[in-house]
Amino acid sequence: MDRRSFLKTSALGGAAAATTLAAPAYATGKRTLTMVQSWPRGFAVLDDAATYLQTMVGEMSDGQLTIDKKAPGELVGALEVFDAVSSGQADMYHSADYYFIGQHPGYAYFTAVPFGGTAQEVSNWYYHGGGEQLHDKLGEIFNLKGLLAGNSGSQSGGWFRKEINSAADFNGLKFRMPGLGGKVLGKLGASVQNIPGGELYQALSSGALDGLEWVGPMADERAGFQEVAKIYYTAGFHEPGSALAANMNLDVWNELSDQHKAIMRYASMATTQLQLSETLANNGAALARLQAQGVKTLQFSDDVWDAFGAASAEVMDENMGDELFAEIRASFEASLATSASWINKSDGYYVQQRIRVLGG
């Protein structure tokens, strides 16, 4: 007997049924979002951000909107999350959008680009310089709603088995670096690979990689790279402030109530601040522990930085034939110029003087 026939049997019976039959969860305002992510559970910085987002959304909605996290392999692979969400196989993903420059090169800007913005400068652009609207414009092509949820801060130059004394030392080097930064190293002759984070330790220890970049001291220490490589370049050109994305399937986004949309947006913002501050608060101590384990910390020479710069300009210009990429780049660089003009004259100069006066 179907529900309609059952309700017709008697008014009393129908009333009783109406009080005992549970309404669908979404009809009562509840919704669980399946979130696939590119990081294994417990990965410092990256899974930290995903977990913060999950917790905040549940608490802010009083349990009416929840996130069910899926680590790589539980539903899809680490680098398959974009297609899964675009197609509706999952509701949202937590990842780094520069993994998906194959879908569109403009996605690089929503993680990091070579010689791009610091974490603060990325936020300036995203929330006050038109970046969020461009993220959505790009996402509409792939049925995605753009959200940023996390930022690693400035990422290190990477782990190496031998020192880099000139740009020529990258020639033939088997190196892991995703995004447009990887294309820059490719121009310097490196054999660049985009390997998911969960596979990096094994690749470096086995010799499948000669070097890699990951995040920074806090995350790198937890990944254990110091056990298989001892040369660590602490500053890199490729990711000065790497945003993490929590993009949603656009159809799912449009189904949410205005309140739940607001919760997703503001929880994403709060996640970025909380996770970034946690990371920056812990990187110094983590670096000291790495050095105590025999890790040698270095900086690339100026001529290597110059080579990075020349190759970066080539890579960026190669994508200018794409109208949307050009629009995103122009917007980003305009915001960066404005931010840098003030930061250099205020924070930047202040830090120089603090170090000069007090040391450090």
Side-chain angles (χ1 to χ4, degrees):
M1 180 183 295
D2 62 23
R3 187 171 184 271
R4 180 176 299 175
S5 298
F6 176 77
L7 292 177
K8 288 180 178 179
T9 57
S10 72
L12 181 59
T19 60
T20 58
L21 288 175
Y26 190 50
T28 62
K30 292 185 177 181
R31 183 72 184 260
T32 296
L33 302 172
T34 299
M35 183 173 77
V36 290
Q37 60 184 57
S38 294
W39 351 101
R41 297 181 187 276
F43 257 43
V45 178
L46 309 172
D47 186 53
D48 290 346
T51 301
Y52 284 143
L53 180 64
Q54 179 188 45
T55 300
M56 288 181 188
V57 167
E59 291 180 350
M60 291 169 71
S61 69
D62 196 23
Q64 296 299 296
L65 184 64
T66 58
I67 292 175
D68 179 18
K69 291 199 312 163
K70 300 292 187 183
E74 293 179 15
L75 186 60
V76 297
L79 301 182
E80 296 170 354
V81 299
F82 183 100
D83 290 340
V85 175
S86 177
S87 67
Q89 185 180 358
D91 297 319
M92 61 185 297
Y93 67 74
H94 195 263
S95 187
D97 268 353
Y98 69 173
Y99 289 157
F100 313 120
I101 58 174
Q103 278 83 354
H104 194 285
Y107 271 114
Y109 280 95
F110 302 97
T111 302
V113 295
F115 291 90
T118 64
Q120 184 61 61
E121 289 171 326
V122 170
S123 290
N124 295 352
W125 170 63
Y126 195 78
Y127 296 114
H128 301 286
E132 186 174 16
Q133 291 73 27
L134 288 167
H135 203 189
D136 285 341
K137 184 175 181 178
L138 179 57
E140 286 176 1
I141 301 171
F142 302 97
N143 197 37
L144 295 173
K145 159 63 185 172
L147 293 168
L148 296 186
N151 194 302
S152 71
S154 179
Q155 295 205 0
S156 59
W159 296 88
F160 296 80
R161 299 187 185 282
K162 62 180 183 179
E163 293 186 20
I164 301 297
N165 297 309
S166 71
D169 289 337
F170 281 100
N171 190 39
L173 199 71
K174 294 176 292 186
F175 199 83
R176 183 269 183 188
M177 180 180 283
L180 296 182
K183 293 186 178 297
V184 169
L185 292 191
K187 286 190 174 292
L188 299 182
S191 174
V192 180
Q193 302 175 46
N194 186 13
I195 299 175
E199 303 172 19
L200 291 178
Y201 181 94
Q202 178 60 29
L204 187 60
S205 62
S206 70
L209 289 175
D210 298 316
L212 59 84
E213 66 78 39
W214 181 227
V215 181
M218 178 185 174
D220 293 10
E221 178 191 32
R222 196 181 298 181
F225 299 135
Q226 70 275 12
E227 299 169 5
V228 290
K230 293 297 183 183
I231 298 172
Y232 191 44
Y233 283 82
T234 55
F237 73 97
H238 57 301
E239 297 184 46
S242 301
L244 305 175
N247 292 346
M248 291 187 63
N249 177 278
L250 187 56
D251 297 327
V252 172
W253 172 264
N254 288 335
E255 290 173 356
L256 296 181
S257 67
D258 289 344
Q259 180 188 33
H260 284 176
K261 288 177 181 176
I263 287 172
M264 290 301 303
R265 187 166 181 266
Y266 296 134
S268 297
M269 293 179 183
T271 291
T272 297
Q273 179 60 31
L274 183 63
Q275 175 269 303
L276 175 63
S277 60
E278 178 191 41
T279 301
L280 297 182
N282 285 281
N283 272 346
L287 182 61
R289 290 191 296 270
L290 292 174
Q291 291 171 319
Q293 295 176 66
V295 173
K296 184 177 183 180
T297 56
L298 299 171
Q299 300 288 8
F300 296 117
S301 62
D302 285 352
D303 65 316
V304 172
W305 276 95
D306 290 343
F308 289 155
S312 294
E314 289 183 33
V315 168
M316 304 303 287
D317 289 345
E318 286 172 355
N319 293 293
M320 288 299 286
D322 184 283
E323 184 176 337
L324 183 52
F325 178 91
E327 181 182 2
I328 295 170
R329 181 182 182 183
S331 172
F332 180 84
E333 292 183 353
S335 177
L336 197 63
T338 301
S339 294
S341 176
W342 171 244
I343 291 171
N344 187 49
K345 293 178 176 66
S346 56
D347 291 13
Y349 187 75
Y350 161 73
V351 170
Q352 292 177 23
Q353 291 299 324
R354 185 180 67 190
I355 293 172
R356 184 187 69 81
V357 174
L358 301 180

